[in-house]
Amino acid sequence: MRYEILGPMADRFDEVLTAEALEFLIALDGEFAARRVALLDTRRARRARYASGQLPDFLPETEHIRTDPTWRVAPPAPGLVDRRVEITGPTDRKMTVNALNSGAKVWLADFEDATSPTWRNVIGGQLNLMDALDRRIDFTDERGKRYALGEEPATIVVRPRGWHLVEKGIVVDGRPISASLVDFGLYFFHCAHRQLDAGAGPYFYLPKLESHREARLWNDVFVLAQRRLGLPQGTIRATTLIETITAAFEMEEILYELREHSAGLNAGRWDYIFSIIKNFGQWPDFVLPDRAEVTMTVPFMRAYTELLVRTCHRRGAHAIGGMAAFIPSRDPQVNEAALGKVRADKQREAGDGFDGSWVAHPGLVPTCREVFDAVLDGRPHQVDRLREEVAVTATDLLAVDKTPGQVTAAGVRANVAVALRYVDAWLGGAGAVALWNLMEDAATAEIARCQVWQWLHHGTPLADGGCVTEDLVRSVLAGELVALVDGRDGPDRDRAEAAARIVEETTLGEDLPAFFTTEAYARHLSPAALTDQR
């Protein structure tokens, strides 16, 4: 197999893109590329069945796995026993230091939704992780502020990009390689031994899985990777994000496929709702109200999180709760109100049996830790709380029509505004974007543009009068673009206009694109031309 590096070789990139590391990637690609493509075909076929009226259910062919009470996942690995607070964020140098020093138990080092996949971000992020493990990450920024790694850094858990994405900077036999294998492979090759020497291990979060067969593919990747580096099987540990409706019906099977390598499951929010719309958005019973109204306490979200905790604890696995995305403000009243909501959300999770939860900003770590400290009461987790009283049916998981709330003109505008500003920032190289006191990532833009598509598709009535029409959406988008480009010229203005075209194309078409990131990456993020526009 012939490979070629199309991305430019910036300073020290040769330390990441060594001949040995590239040979490792090519070996993974040669073994698993065809299976990845076949599983993506299966996704498309499943979505077509749902479009024709079929609904998901628990799989009859795997009932024996769900009803077998004897199997368990591997015990928690070093550094993953206590996960009461996890912070998420991209792998730029500043975030790497701040996250590791945040006081959180775990840092989700994100190559996926919180990272714009420019070549500089992808390879530079790998270099930052290597430097962090070698304790040479300290630096001084352009304002003279010093960033230095503390003595008790968080455990690093890397989230590679999903199976649906490719990396254009590395091609094999003329085709781009799987982005999942690039992010996983480079980190594992360079950092597995570094992590083991530090008393931890190579740990991962697995995003956007839609079935246990996709989990099986990851497990087989792990087996081969460990074999090639001479590491014992089970050295790798992975937490799977249950952020698609199809995966919610296969939680037990996903844990089972990964059981030698499993570190638990995580309950997402925006991606899960995005998955609901993507699969069933053409049906009127699945129309959702304004995004802010779809909280974790509405019936279908409550069913999903309750089932996740029960499933994890039954199998000896950690259950990790969702994101608190608030960014602390200088306004004390804004802070007080927002932190009250964060505290209530974390109290719900801890009370439901979750073993830890996510925050997006170091300023939220104390609030989350305080809540879980009170519930855990000296224990590292509450996996022994089995939640045997929970009984969730397929009907419960699909009870979207029981979601209270309404669609408003403000909700339409909010979704368009967030989608436009996020895509603009993403095209400029930023994947974690502060918008209106919230840290937003790609999942936010996906749910925002999907909701607009769904409301438009159904001509959804607005609580304030009228309904969602193409003219309304175009008018809102035009107004938001005017506000965004104010004071811009040249490439910055061009980028904003490109972002508006992406939002238009992914909200106003007859069909709903599966992801905005795939087409936007293919058309707008060239490895050579768009390495960093911030």
Side-chain angles (χ1 to χ4, degrees):
M1 301 177 77
R2 180 177 176 274
Y3 70 84
E4 185 178 2
I5 305 298
L6 299 184
M9 294 297 288
D11 183 42
R12 296 183 61 204
F13 279 17
D14 58 331
E15 296 177 34
V16 177
L17 299 168
T18 64
E20 296 80 8
L22 290 167
E23 288 172 8
F24 180 72
L25 290 187
I26 303 315
L28 296 179
D29 179 78
E31 184 69 27
F32 300 113
R35 279 179 60 188
R36 167 187 167 271
V37 171
L39 286 168
L40 294 178
D41 289 340
T42 300
R43 285 186 180 184
R44 285 186 282 269
R46 183 191 303 117
R47 192 177 171 198
R49 292 198 302 272
Y50 296 157
S52 68
Q54 180 179 324
L55 292 175
D57 202 345
F58 297 100
L59 301 176
E61 63 267 30
T62 54
E63 184 180 6
H64 64 285
I65 293 173
R66 297 192 299 275
T67 57
D68 180 355
T70 62
W71 63 270
R72 299 286 186 276
V73 303
L80 295 179
V81 176
D82 186 338
R83 303 174 63 178
R84 68 189 66 199
V85 187
E86 301 192 351
I87 190 168
T88 73
T91 54
D92 62 83
R93 211 160 183 83
K94 179 180 175 181
M95 183 65 195
T96 297
V97 175
N98 285 344
L100 291 173
N101 288 346
S102 66
K105 294 292 186 179
V106 167
W107 171 38
L108 187 158
D110 197 6
F111 286 95
E112 200 225 7
D113 278 357
T115 290
S116 170
T118 66
W119 180 247
R120 183 178 298 277
N121 286 346
V122 169
I123 306 304
Q126 295 284 349
L127 192 60
N128 290 336
L129 294 177
M130 293 163 61
D131 283 351
L133 291 170
D134 292 341
R135 300 194 67 86
R136 56 175 183 171
I137 192 74
D138 301 3
F139 73 102
T140 301
D141 69 13
E142 62 278 1
R143 298 171 299 171
K145 184 175 180 179
R146 179 72 175 162
Y147 292 84
L149 197 61
E151 292 304 313
E152 296 184 10
T155 298
I156 296 172
V157 180
V158 168
R159 178 162 69 170
R161 285 168 285 176
W163 283 128
H164 60 290
L165 295 168
V166 296
E167 173 51 61
K168 295 193 296 183
I170 304 174
V171 297
V172 179
D173 293 337
R175 56 170 174 78
I177 193 172
S178 160
S180 304
L181 296 180
V182 169
D183 298 340
F184 162 80
L186 289 176
Y187 177 73
F188 183 76
F189 184 85
H190 289 294
C191 296
H193 285 288
R194 283 178 163 97
Q195 284 283 29
L196 291 167
D197 291 344
Y203 305 144
F204 299 89
Y205 259 107
L206 305 181
K208 293 181 176 56
L209 266 63
E210 296 194 12
S211 74
H212 70 283
R213 289 182 175 85
E214 295 180 16
R216 183 182 302 165
L217 175 56
W218 268 120
N219 196 73
D220 291 346
V221 170
F222 297 162
V223 169
L224 178 61
Q226 289 165 141
R227 185 184 307 133
R228 287 189 68 93
L229 264 63
L231 295 176
Q233 297 300 318
T235 299
I236 293 171
R237 295 299 170 85
T239 304
T240 302
L241 291 109
I242 302 300
E243 53 188 353
T244 65
I245 181 62
T246 51
F249 283 92
E250 301 183 33
M251 293 189 211
E252 295 254 19
E253 293 89 335
I254 287 169
L255 286 177
Y256 182 81
E257 294 291 347
L258 288 159
R259 60 194 181 281
E260 188 178 26
H261 300 107
S262 183
L265 303 176
N266 167 273
R269 181 185 178 189
W270 293 141
D271 268 313
Y272 190 78
I273 302 168
F274 162 46
S275 169
I276 293 278
I277 299 173
K278 184 167 63 174
N279 283 289
F280 313 117
Q282 67 273 35
W283 303 110
D285 287 348
F286 288 88
V287 174
L288 285 162
D290 284 357
R291 185 161 53 97
E293 306 254 19
V294 190
T295 68
M296 298 300 285
T297 61
V298 303
F300 79 97
M301 296 295 284
R302 184 82 176 140
Y304 141 70
T305 55
E306 293 267 84
L307 180 60
L308 188 146
V309 173
R310 184 188 190 282
T311 300
C312 284
H313 289 181
R314 184 184 183 214
R315 303 305 181 180
H318 281 62
I320 306 300
M323 174 69 77
F326 173 67
I327 302 171
S329 167
R330 293 190 176 128
D331 184 329
Q333 289 184 318
V334 171
N335 263 0
E336 183 179 359
L339 288 175
K341 292 179 181 178
V342 170
R343 184 174 289 106
D345 189 50
K346 300 311 176 189
Q347 287 172 337
R348 173 191 55 78
E349 289 180 328
D352 285 347
F354 281 96
D355 303 291
S357 191
W358 283 6
V359 299
H361 191 280
L364 299 183
V365 169
T367 299
C368 185
R369 183 175 56 223
E370 176 186 316
V371 168
F372 276 88
D373 283 351
V375 171
L376 295 178
D377 192 25
R379 299 170 296 161
H381 53 71
Q382 50 183 336
V383 172
D384 58 348
R385 188 177 170 202
L386 299 182
R387 297 301 312 274
E388 291 176 330
E389 77 280 8
V390 171
V392 173
T393 66
T395 300
D396 296 329
L397 290 174
L398 296 170
V400 175
D401 59 338
K402 295 181 181 178
T403 304
Q406 52 193 5
V407 179
T408 66
V412 174
R413 182 171 296 279
N415 276 345
V416 171
V418 165
L420 176 63
R421 284 162 177 76
Y422 182 83
V423 174
D424 171 64
W426 187 89
L427 292 176
V433 183
L435 296 172
W436 297 290
N437 290 325
L438 293 174
M439 186 62 74
E440 308 289 21
D441 65 10
T444 313
E446 295 287 23
I447 177 62
R449 60 101 184 171
C450 278
Q451 277 206 302
V452 175
W453 178 90
Q454 183 186 43
W455 296 336
L456 179 60
H457 187 80
H458 291 282
T460 304
L462 295 169
D464 4 35
C467 59
V468 181
T469 65
E470 183 173 332
D471 286 345
L472 172 65
V473 175
R474 287 189 183 278
S475 174
V476 171
L477 179 58
E480 292 297 327
L481 179 60
V482 168
L484 182 60
V485 301
D486 185 32
R488 289 191 182 188
D489 54 25
D492 283 348
R493 188 182 186 94
D494 293 343
R495 191 181 73 222
E497 291 172 350
R501 288 193 296 273
I502 291 170
V503 173
E504 178 182 340
E505 291 165 2
T506 58
T507 57
L508 297 180
E510 180 63 26
D511 297 320
L512 177 65
F515 298 96
F516 91 81
T517 49
T518 48
E519 189 65 22
Y521 177 69
R523 288 165 51 189
H524 295 280
L525 292 192
S526 160
L530 222 170
T531 55
D532 193 350
Q533 288 195 1
R534 279 172 291 177

